[in-house]
Amino acid sequence: MSLGNPFPPPASRARLRAAKWGDRIFLVLTGLGAAGVIGLLVAFVAVLYYKAQPTIKLLGFSFLYTQIWNPTGGVYGVVPFAVGTLLTSGLALLIAVPLSLGAAIFLTQQAPQWMRRPVGQVIELLASVPSIIYGFWGLIVLVPIMRVDVEPLLKEYLGWTGWFGGTPIGLDVLTASVVLSIMAIPTITAVSRDSMAAVPLSQKEAAISLGATDWEVTRRAVVPYARSGIVAGVTLGLGRALGETMAVTLVIGNKSAIPTSLFSQGQTITSLLANDFFEQATPLELPALIEAALVLLVITLAVTIIGRVILARFQRSGTAGLE
Amino acid sequence: MKFDRALRRKIFSHSMTVLSGLAIVAILVPLAAVIYEAAVLGGSVFNVAFFTQGIPYPCSPHPGATCQQGGIAPAIQGSFIMMGIASLISVPLGIGAAIFAVEYGAHRPWARAIGMAADVLAGVPAIVAGVFIYALLVIYDPTISFSALAGGLALSIIMVPIVTRTTEEALRVVPNSVREAALALGISRWKTSIRIVLVAALPGVLTGVLLAFARALGDAAALLIVDGGGLYGFRGFNQQVAAVPIWMFTFATSPYKNWVTLAWGAGLFLILLVLALSVVSRLVLDRMTKKMRGG
């Protein structure tokens, strides 16, 4: 925005000079803020990389593919935790995405007018409830239900798939995924509801005039139009699930091994950090933990960037998108 | 045949409607259960002692004996001190970055870079932010790597991207004609930015700040790494200080009856605070937009 004023108002020279200096100082100050935000991101990677040097030098790439974490034996591998993180977050999305989209569709397309706004606002509010509350509820209320009611049933009827082996004790990968999905649902629902509500009426009317049923209107007119909002919501939900610490730590059982079934106790990168950061067995465990944090940072960066790339592609492909 | 197909489509459509209706029931039931549990169990400890006393002796009631209830006063104090530090850092930083991006950098690549950086930062897990601050302070001065100051710094990292992003969006909505009018009157650029554009965008900015505040207030993960909670209220910026979400975590994992009940109380306290913040921000937004429209 360049706005040269061809008719400068009469002003004393001193005032003009003051304004000029004011502008300069202001530019520098806001520029510092901008540099701070970008610098923070660079500093993140740099500091973690620097403090993880001892293990990076000693172990090299073996940290990324070793399947055992045994600090007293000097063996450090991030695989069990990376698997735990990706498995719980993936399962959580598998549960949360269909439910959230269904709810968003209901709230924007089918629900009676009077309930759309209030329910939408309540869901938005639930998205900002601190995660530790979901975790605590999971530990006290959900774990016994999973142990006594849900998991034995799953074992009996779906045991043959191999996913539900072992003794169901409630504190396991499955429960952690369920808690994560309950946490992610309000976020995904709220964002996709916003974008579905913003679909112009003309789009829907066009579909209706062609004889589409309610579902076909949603499937062919609403969802494609709102898809960038949906992707944004899912990315946001996935980001929160990947980085969630407290809720997971409380219910996953905290065992540093690769889960063999959904009833296995496991560990995510976040719960590893929460459990071990101040109870290090050996001096080398600290850099190993920091390197694990670096791995998690890279995973979440990748998710954010992939999400943005998908959004950019949608916008280029011409669908009116919402960002 | 043709009739058959139309009927099938109709039946399919209706069953999808039913399914999406079931989806909303399925998501609201567990969420309602969380809030209900917190309200009932947490509500039972909401009294004067809860807000004025400290941590009670751990105890599980034996028949015929009662436990001291105690409260979370030191944790409330600690949380607000750390939130104060976090707000003092993140609000100017985030607003400054957003003004720079929108007012000075429209259509320039680094304006997009700031938005991108804020987006990426928003995706950084809170516990990684904690590890980052710990690692940074250990390099600088190990004695303060586990303190109220470190906690405030870690929380500010959670707030910065939210403040930056929402401020940016709010500033972008202010029409360019407003800026042009101000500059045409001979008002200097920085005064235009602060006194006119920022003021016009204030409701949006405020909502963003409150949102960021609510998010950081309830976060335990970052504080677990750089502050650890502790039993006491504020004793100095270089000392550990108690925090509500950390106490909730400690209580939740303890076997003592009175501590677990207190954890529900802490949970209800956090929920109510977040609720109040979002209601306030909505009211502010409504009132200020009305005022501005009404002239």
Side-chain angles (χ1 to χ4, degrees):
Chain A
M1 195 177 73
S2 71
L3 290 165
N5 184 353
F7 308 108
S12 75
R13 203 166 268 183
R15 261 184 72 187
L16 271 181
R17 203 178 299 136
K20 210 164 136 195
W21 274 106
D23 277 351
R24 275 184 196 156
I25 293 168
F26 187 65
L27 180 67
V28 169
L29 283 180
T30 55
L32 279 178
V37 170
I38 295 176
L40 203 56
L41 194 61
V42 178
F44 246 103
V45 179
V47 167
L48 292 183
Y49 186 76
Y50 171 69
K51 292 303 282 185
Q53 275 303 309
T55 44
I56 292 176
K57 273 202 189 112
L58 195 71
L59 305 171
F61 283 107
S62 75
F63 184 79
L64 298 178
Y65 59 76
T66 303
Q67 304 188 356
I68 298 165
W69 180 274
N70 179 7
T72 43
V75 186
Y76 297 98
V78 78
V79 175
F81 317 113
V83 168
T85 294
L86 296 174
L87 184 63
T88 48
S89 299
L91 260 178
L93 276 197
L94 219 58
I95 302 168
V97 170
L99 286 177
S100 306
L101 292 189
I105 288 169
F106 186 78
L107 276 180
T108 53
Q109 313 301 320
Q110 280 115 17
Q113 256 341 302
W114 57 265
M115 74 176 281
R116 292 187 182 190
R117 245 176 79 89
V119 175
Q121 283 180 346
V122 165
I123 288 178
E124 231 162 73
L125 202 70
L126 288 168
S128 57
V129 167
S131 62
I132 182 150
I133 292 163
Y134 289 115
F136 185 42
W137 175 83
L139 178 69
I140 306 273
V141 179
L142 189 63
V143 165
I145 294 177
M146 294 298 281
R147 181 175 52 221
V148 178
D149 302 321
V150 180
E151 292 184 347
L153 272 180
L154 284 173
K155 195 178 159 104
E156 198 177 330
Y157 292 104
L158 293 168
W160 52 271
T161 55
W163 286 81
F164 304 98
T167 322
I169 64 163
L171 286 170
D172 51 32
V173 171
L174 185 64
T175 308
S177 311
V178 172
V179 170
L180 281 181
S181 72
I182 292 175
M183 255 186 57
I185 279 172
T187 308
I188 303 176
T189 308
V191 179
S192 14
R193 186 194 73 107
D194 275 352
S195 62
M196 285 185 196
V199 174
L201 207 55
S202 59
Q203 294 275 327
K204 297 202 296 195
E205 286 168 348
I208 293 167
S209 72
L210 290 172
T213 60
D214 279 356
W215 169 249
E216 285 158 354
V217 170
T218 304
R219 174 75 191 75
R220 309 265 169 214
V222 175
V223 171
Y225 197 93
R227 62 182 182 174
S228 49
I230 295 171
V231 169
V234 172
T235 314
L236 213 62
L238 179 59
R240 285 197 73 181
L242 287 171
E244 178 47 41
T245 307
M246 310 317 285
V248 172
T249 307
L250 284 170
V251 297
I252 200 169
N254 302 318
K255 184 179 154 205
S256 303
I258 298 178
T260 51
S261 91
L262 296 183
F263 294 162
S264 301
Q265 285 84 71
Q267 186 92 286
T268 60
I269 297 179
T270 53
S271 72
L272 168 77
L273 291 169
N275 282 310
D276 285 16
F277 206 78
F278 287 103
E279 284 162 21
Q280 298 140 20
T282 62
L284 201 60
E285 198 180 349
L286 182 64
L289 288 169
I290 291 177
E291 194 176 348
L294 190 60
V295 170
L296 179 62
L297 181 66
V298 170
I299 293 176
T300 51
L301 291 191
V303 167
T304 312
I305 289 167
I306 290 170
R308 282 193 70 118
V309 167
I310 295 176
L311 284 182
R313 181 159 302 167
F314 279 172
Q315 270 149 16
R316 218 175 315 130
S317 74
T319 320
L322 302 150
E323 201 190 357
Chain B
M1 229 20 224
K2 203 178 167 219
F3 171 77
D4 234 24
R5 210 173 147 223
L7 188 69
R8 236 187 7 231
R9 281 170 56 209
K10 212 169 245 170
I11 291 174
F12 186 69
S13 175
H14 282 302
S15 40
M16 288 317 274
T17 304
V18 172
L19 273 183
S20 63
L22 285 178
I24 193 136
V25 174
I27 72 164
L28 284 178
V29 165
L31 292 169
V34 174
I35 302 298
Y36 171 81
E37 210 84 22
V40 170
L41 291 170
S44 71
V45 288
F46 256 46
N47 49 32
V48 178
F50 181 79
F51 294 100
T52 53
Q53 290 181 5
I55 207 164
Y57 289 110
C59 129
S60 297
H62 300 291
T66 51
C67 288
Q68 188 200 352
Q69 185 211 308
I72 61 165
I76 296 176
Q77 185 198 23
S79 268
F80 276 99
I81 282 170
M82 285 190 279
M83 287 307 302
I85 300 172
S87 307
L88 278 180
I89 297 168
S90 61
V91 172
L93 191 69
I95 292 181
I99 290 179
F100 190 75
V102 177
E103 304 298 308
Y104 291 96
H107 309 303
R108 286 194 200 134
W110 30 266
R112 294 188 54 150
I114 293 168
M116 182 89 186
D119 270 0
V120 172
L121 272 181
V124 170
I127 195 160
V128 176
V131 172
F132 164 70
I133 290 295
Y134 177 85
L136 192 70
L137 290 182
V138 157
I139 299 172
Y140 175 69
D141 176 5
T143 56
I144 57 163
S145 63
F146 206 59
S147 64
L149 180 67
L153 287 174
L155 293 182
S156 78
I157 291 184
I158 296 170
M159 291 181 71
V160 162
I162 307 177
V163 174
T164 308
R165 233 20 191 145
T166 43
T167 306
E168 229 188 298
E169 268 152 37
L171 290 176
R172 265 185 225 291
V173 177
V174 177
N176 251 339
S177 56
V178 171
R179 295 182 181 88
E180 284 159 11
L183 292 172
L185 289 171
I187 300 170
S188 63
R189 194 124 181 215
W190 70 278
K191 274 191 186 153
T192 307
S193 292
I194 290 185
R195 305 261 295 261
I196 292 160
V197 180
L198 191 60
V199 167
L202 209 54
V205 176
L206 214 61
T207 311
V209 170
L210 291 176
L211 200 75
F213 195 89
R215 172 64 56 81
L217 182 73
D219 190 88
L223 292 184
L224 202 64
I225 301 292
V226 288
D227 178 64
L231 300 179
Y232 305 105
F234 184 68
R235 291 169 302 163
F237 289 109
N238 58 350
Q239 301 285 318
Q240 249 185 305
V241 64
V244 178
I246 298 272
W247 269 23
M248 203 181 153
F249 181 66
T250 315
F251 291 162
T253 47
S254 82
Y256 312 112
K257 201 92 189 200
N258 61 342
W259 281 19
V260 172
T261 317
L262 221 48
W264 281 116
L268 182 62
F269 176 72
L270 288 176
I271 292 176
L272 289 178
L273 221 54
V274 168
L275 180 78
L277 283 172
S278 84
V279 168
V280 166
S281 71
R282 191 153 291 159
L283 285 180
V284 167
L285 201 62
D286 280 357
R287 171 162 300 182
M288 289 179 98
T289 21
K290 234 175 251 160
K291 208 168 161 189
M292 238 155 254
R293 290 227 180 90

